[in-house]
Amino acid sequence: MVQSSNNGKANEGEAYDNDKLPSDEPFNSEIHIRGDSHLISHDPHLNEDGDALHRFLLEQAAFPPSFLLSCSGTHQETRTRQAQVPNGQGGTRSQTETYPVTITDFAFTINLTQCIISEPLGPPIYIAGDRSAISRGKTHLEVDEAPTKGADGKDLEMSQIQLGKQFRRKATSEEKDAADTRAHRLELVGLPPWVHLPGEPLGTQATVDSDEARHRFQYSVHGVDQTFDDSGLQVPGENLRQWADEYCRSKKMLKEFNFHKIVYGWNLAELREEIARMIKLHWSHGGSHQPDIKFTLESDVVSVRPDNWLSRILSRRLVKFLLWVLLIYPLVIWPYKRFGSGGGGEWRVAGSAYAMAKWVHLEDSVPGETVESYSQRVPPIPSLRTLRATPKGISRLEGTREGEWFREWEGTIASFVREKRINRTPVTMPSNQPGAVLDGYRG
């Protein structure tokens, strides 16, 4: 499938709406969408013009990813069948044998995308922290950090450390492990990449790309675990435009710029446990089996790759699979991509973040004000539980919390399990439950 880059669902051959571009220079960009919902562009202009690549990524950030919840449950049964076996006399005889069969009791998907908060001013663009082990144009992970030791291995004095200058080096195994652990933890508890976690060095967390976004998303993160810090959102060492320029300056044949979209604001680990507990209560095999519960994102990666024959064929999964089978990829292409000076290089330094629930600063509040004084000064307030005080003033909770979503959907999920529902088409609305139409039923 091919689409134009000015929206998420355009048809082949459509071009940018150039009147909406922040530049007078028109250009068209085709995007190929693979079967795994991976957006890929081989547009030559995006590989040569940093401004065009920058605007293209901002344009794509306007479209959130699809957020899905999949639940399934299976159990094993033993069946019997008649088989013909040798009888030892040159003939055969009939024999009963047993064999296992996997039975799918239920399998359904719920679309959570409608719970993502709309951002009229655009989602925040996050940039990898300087001390985060990530792909910065090479085939290995790197960090940007001024060295604190000299050639002799001794610690440098503060006057000898060139602060403010970027020193890019290969990440250590410890830094790689720390980056993986951090990413996994943030995903499970629903935190965005720009929060600072206790005990980790400054510069590990991501930065936010613009002054406006840093002001808007300061103190905005909602989470039950309040040990994180989102008070001092950092200015990136290189902003998105500068990274785009760096990518376009590269002449590597198999380079790629990967822009990732993430969702935050829900504690997925806790939500998964609650869904599993409730499913087991309504599943006939719940006493001895565990349900399979997955949260997945689709259309969450935008990749820009060069306009050459090799890069294009490697973007086709079937062709790449055949190259693996024929041993051409592992013996020829991979060594060139991994070790060749003009081979491969990945930039995975930026992305956009979309909230399920967040705190929004109320501009009519003042620093130092309490929730009680604000509610008396600016009535009416729906609920004091949706307000909190921050150093900036008062913030209001927006979006849907995971507990609110679970309360709305638990009856539907339970009925799907009891009915042994098998439906791969994502469900977008909960089933009508008794009493749901009554005023005050939902609190």
Side-chain angles (χ1 to χ4, degrees):
M1 177 179 179
V2 179
Q3 69 176 46
S4 74
S5 66
N6 68 315
N7 60 49
K9 303 178 177 64
N11 296 321
E12 182 175 0
E14 291 184 4
Y16 277 113
D17 183 353
N18 296 312
D19 292 335
K20 296 181 180 180
L21 294 176
S23 172
D24 294 330
E25 181 183 358
F27 66 95
N28 300 323
S29 177
E30 290 185 347
I31 298 176
H32 298 270
I33 303 180
R34 294 196 317 201
D36 58 358
S37 301
H38 189 156
L39 264 87
I40 302 174
S41 177
H42 289 275
D43 189 290
H45 197 45
L46 301 181
N47 283 273
E48 301 166 355
D49 186 341
D51 177 59
L53 175 57
H54 178 224
R55 290 181 288 124
F56 169 77
L57 295 175
L58 293 180
E59 187 178 81
Q60 289 301 314
F63 306 102
S66 297
F67 188 28
L68 305 175
L69 163 65
S70 299
C71 303
S72 63
T74 62
H75 72 276
Q76 295 283 332
E77 291 186 358
T78 301
R79 304 283 176 86
T80 61
R81 61 189 173 193
Q82 295 297 314
Q84 298 297 315
V85 297
N87 61 8
Q89 300 176 355
T92 61
R93 61 181 177 84
S94 180
Q95 176 178 295
T96 301
E97 65 179 18
T98 61
Y99 64 97
V101 175
T102 300
I103 304 298
T104 299
D105 296 314
F106 58 89
F108 54 87
T109 301
I110 298 173
N111 194 333
L112 305 174
T113 310
Q114 65 268 21
C115 295
I116 296 176
I117 299 175
S118 175
E119 297 285 358
L121 298 178
I125 305 298
Y126 66 87
I127 307 295
D130 289 345
R131 300 185 70 175
S132 174
I134 205 162
S135 299
R136 302 171 187 265
K138 300 284 183 64
T139 53
H140 54 259
L141 305 186
E142 296 179 300
V143 297
D144 283 339
E145 184 182 30
T148 57
K149 293 182 181 295
D152 56 1
K154 295 182 178 179
D155 292 337
L156 297 175
E157 307 230 351
M158 283 301 297
S159 60
Q160 297 175 294
I161 299 176
Q162 296 175 273
L163 298 176
K165 185 178 180 180
Q166 297 299 313
F167 291 86
R168 191 162 298 172
R169 59 170 175 80
K170 188 174 182 179
T172 65
S173 58
E174 291 80 8
E175 290 169 330
K176 296 175 186 177
D177 292 341
D180 289 341
T181 301
R182 172 184 166 82
H184 182 66
R185 178 182 175 186
L186 293 181
E187 180 182 5
L188 285 180
V189 299
L191 296 176
W194 58 79
V195 300
H196 180 250
L197 300 176
E200 66 180 10
L202 288 175
T204 305
Q205 77 274 27
T207 58
V208 179
D209 196 43
S210 71
D211 290 336
E212 181 276 328
R214 284 191 290 274
H215 173 76
R216 183 158 44 107
F217 287 90
Q218 185 184 34
Y219 302 113
S220 69
V221 178
H222 166 261
V224 177
D225 179 6
Q226 294 294 330
T227 59
F228 62 85
D229 179 14
D230 67 337
S231 61
L233 304 189
Q234 302 295 307
V235 178
E238 290 187 55
N239 58 33
L240 182 60
R241 171 58 194 276
Q242 291 169 320
W243 281 114
D245 287 338
E246 180 179 312
Y247 170 81
C248 290
R249 286 194 298 267
S250 173
K251 303 302 180 184
K252 293 182 177 181
M253 192 174 185
L254 296 177
K255 67 179 182 177
E256 58 181 319
F257 195 109
N258 292 321
F259 185 88
H260 289 255
K261 303 178 181 183
I262 63 104
V263 171
Y264 70 98
W266 281 8
N267 189 320
L268 299 184
E270 293 288 346
L271 181 57
R272 182 182 290 109
E273 288 186 8
E274 286 301 310
I275 294 173
R277 179 192 59 79
M278 187 267 296
I279 285 178
K280 288 168 70 69
L281 292 176
H282 299 275
W283 183 20
S284 58
H285 296 278
S288 57
H289 293 73
Q290 287 291 335
D292 185 23
I293 300 171
K294 296 179 181 177
F295 294 95
T296 57
L297 290 175
E298 294 183 353
S299 301
D300 59 321
V301 182
V302 179
S303 296
V304 175
R305 297 173 181 175
D307 180 29
N308 61 64
W309 66 273
L310 182 56
S311 180
R312 283 184 175 274
I313 66 172
L314 292 179
S315 293
R316 306 294 180 179
R317 288 193 298 171
L318 178 58
V319 176
K320 189 173 182 178
F321 172 75
L322 292 175
L323 292 173
W324 268 102
V325 172
L326 297 173
L327 299 181
I328 296 174
Y329 188 89
L331 297 181
V332 180
I333 299 177
W334 184 85
Y336 170 68
K337 182 178 180 179
R338 179 68 175 84
F339 302 108
S341 59
E346 180 188 8
W347 281 259
R348 192 179 178 178
V349 293
S352 49
Y354 308 82
M356 307 291 281
K358 67 172 184 174
W359 294 99
V360 177
H361 175 65
L362 299 175
E363 296 297 340
D364 58 355
S365 65
V366 295
E369 192 170 22
T370 65
V371 170
E372 291 73 17
S373 62
Y374 177 83
S375 62
Q376 294 173 3
R377 183 172 62 83
V378 189
I381 301 298
S383 171
L384 294 182
R385 290 181 300 174
T386 63
L387 299 179
R388 75 165 184 175
T390 73
K392 293 168 62 175
I394 303 299
S395 294
R396 181 183 67 246
L397 186 64
E398 287 191 356
T400 304
R401 291 173 290 183
E402 57 268 45
E404 295 169 331
W405 178 89
F406 182 73
R407 181 177 61 186
E408 183 178 9
W409 278 86
E410 61 177 329
T412 299
I413 295 174
S415 66
F416 284 177
V417 173
R418 291 193 300 267
E419 297 167 6
K420 299 185 177 181
R421 176 74 64 92
I422 297 180
N423 186 3
R424 298 297 182 182
T425 302
V427 181
T428 57
M429 296 293 292
S431 304
N432 290 329
Q433 301 298 319
V437 298
L438 301 179
D439 183 25
Y441 174 78
R442 300 195 183 280

